[in-house]
Amino acid sequence: MVISGINHLTFAVSDLEVSLDFYSNLLGLAAEVKWNNGAYLSGPGIWLCLTKGRPNPDQDYSHVAFSVESEQFTALQEKIVAAGFGTWQENTSEGDSLYFLDPDNHKLEIHCGNLSQRLDSLKQKPYAGLKWLNSTDSD
C-alpha cells in the first residue's frame, strides 16, 4: 500500500486566534507554533494546520472525527455544548458521538469507538444495500 495514513489536516479559518483557542483550550490539542497566517497543533497521531483564509464548508456529510476515550467523552461533550458551539447532526450510529461545529462551521465529531466496532455493529444492523467487500469482515 502506498498511503500509510493521514499526514495532516488543514482548515481555513477566519480568525486565527479564535480557532487556536478553540482547538487548544477547548479540544485539548497542543499548540506547537503560530505565524502571521497560520498555526500547527498536535495530539496523539494528529497534526492540524490552521491557515487564515475564507472558510466555506459545504452542506454535505464531510467532517473530521476525533477519537475520545469513553471515560472522557461526557466531560468533553459538556464542555463543547457549554461553550455554545452548535451541533449539526444527532448520533444514530454505534458508540457515543457528538457532531459539532468549530468557529468557522467546519463539521467535527468526537467519537468513542473504532472501525472494528463499527463493522461488528453492521453485522447486527446493516445499512440499506450494504455489501461486504473484504470477505474477512463478513464472517
Side-chain angles (χ1 to χ4, degrees):
M1 178 177 285
V2 175
I3 304 258
S4 61
I6 294 175
N7 185 275
H8 68 277
L9 304 169
T10 299
F11 291 136
V13 299
S14 59
D15 186 316
L16 184 60
E17 295 303 323
V18 168
S19 292
L20 189 55
D21 181 65
F22 175 86
Y23 284 98
S24 62
N25 292 324
L26 186 65
L27 297 188
L29 293 177
E32 300 290 346
V33 296
K34 180 179 86 168
W35 61 97
N36 289 347
N37 293 317
Y40 290 145
L41 299 99
S42 68
I46 297 171
W47 168 14
L48 179 65
C49 174
L50 304 177
T51 184
K52 284 170 71 173
R54 192 171 133 194
N56 189 17
D58 291 330
Q59 299 301 310
D60 62 21
Y61 189 65
S62 298
H63 66 282
V64 175
F66 297 105
S67 293
V68 175
E69 296 299 324
S70 57
E71 310 82 52
Q72 299 171 326
F73 180 83
T74 300
L76 182 55
Q77 177 182 26
E78 290 171 356
K79 188 176 177 182
I80 292 166
V81 170
F85 292 95
T87 59
W88 59 274
Q89 176 173 300
E90 293 297 318
N91 184 28
T92 59
S93 61
E94 58 66 46
D96 289 328
S97 283
L98 175 68
Y99 298 85
F100 61 103
L101 302 169
D102 82 353
D104 288 298
N105 292 325
H106 293 108
K107 292 180 246 176
L108 305 176
E109 174 186 1
I110 54 172
H111 180 73
C112 295
N114 57 43
L115 179 58
S116 293
Q117 291 166 326
R118 177 66 51 90
L119 294 176
D120 286 344
S121 75
L122 290 176
K123 292 173 186 173
Q124 304 304 315
K125 188 177 176 185
Y127 299 149
L130 183 93
K131 293 180 182 161
W132 293 95
L133 304 175
N134 182 341
S135 61
T136 60
D137 288 333
S138 61
D139 298 333

